[in-house]
Amino acid sequence: MTDSDEVDRIVEDWERERPDLDFAPLQVFSRVGRLAKLLDRARKQAFERSELESWEFDVLSALRRAGAPFRLPPKALLAQTLVSSGTMTNRIDRLVARGLVTRQTDPHDGRGILVEMTPAGLTRVDAAITRLVDAEAELLAGLPTAEQRRLAALLRKLSLGFA
């Protein structure tokens, strides 16, 4: 092995203390957990620089990905952000108060509403995604592009097993 990290040291200690166990899962998931913490930190910084909370980014990015005119019904936002309807109502209220979204009457259903991103919301989410992609690229800079693609494929395969 060329370089060792903290997980290697932890696993070595456990192997010494509990040679009866296979610590291969720890080799993977301890690193995934540690990388998740680094990623959370990088994301938080990217969002803070755009004056957004991570939950605000989640809602605004769902609207942004919908394409112009950047509007969705609350049910679609629920499905994309995996929160309860009460939580989504609260989030929309807070985004309206900040001037990042508005509520519009659904032209196809007079009883329904659509959540539409404002120009201020668009500016913030575009800045945040640019900063996020830059921060994540920096985290991956130590891996060649081919290894990044291979890692993404392996993580996709693993995550599909949890679905």
Side-chain angles (χ1 to χ4, degrees):
M1 188 179 318
T2 55
D3 295 323
S4 62
D5 62 6
E6 185 62 22
V7 173
D8 289 323
R9 290 182 281 282
I10 291 168
V11 168
E12 287 171 12
D13 290 345
W14 274 118
E15 287 174 335
R16 181 188 68 244
E17 295 300 316
R18 290 294 309 270
D20 57 311
L21 296 176
D22 177 7
F23 290 99
L26 217 60
Q27 292 276 0
V28 173
F29 290 110
S30 290
R31 286 187 176 92
V32 168
R34 287 168 181 267
L35 290 170
K37 288 178 185 176
L38 290 171
L39 180 58
D40 283 344
R41 209 175 306 148
R43 285 180 168 215
K44 188 174 186 173
Q45 289 172 353
F47 300 151
E48 283 176 353
R49 289 180 56 214
S50 300
E51 299 178 22
L52 292 175
E53 298 288 332
S54 62
W55 66 265
E56 292 173 315
F57 176 80
D58 288 346
V59 175
L60 294 175
S61 67
L63 293 167
R64 180 65 169 101
R65 292 189 317 270
F70 313 116
R71 73 172 85 130
L72 290 170
K75 273 190 173 182
L77 291 171
L78 286 171
Q80 292 188 41
T81 59
L82 303 174
V83 297
S84 70
S85 61
T87 298
M88 182 53 66
T89 298
N90 180 273
R91 288 180 175 186
I92 293 168
D93 289 344
R94 291 170 67 186
L95 288 166
V96 167
R98 290 197 61 204
L100 301 177
V101 302
T102 60
R103 284 186 173 92
Q104 306 290 327
T105 302
D106 187 338
H108 304 295
D109 176 7
R111 296 172 294 156
I113 68 156
L114 295 171
V115 178
E116 185 172 324
M117 187 163 38
T118 65
L122 180 61
T123 298
R124 295 255 177 102
V125 76
D126 278 353
I129 192 63
T130 299
R131 289 177 173 126
L132 177 61
V133 169
D134 289 346
E136 290 182 355
E138 191 174 316
L139 290 173
L140 288 171
L143 291 177
T145 303
E147 288 184 8
Q148 290 178 32
R149 286 191 189 112
R150 179 73 179 135
L151 178 59
L154 289 169
L155 290 170
R156 180 184 307 106
K157 184 177 181 179
L158 182 62
S159 68
L160 289 172
F162 290 120

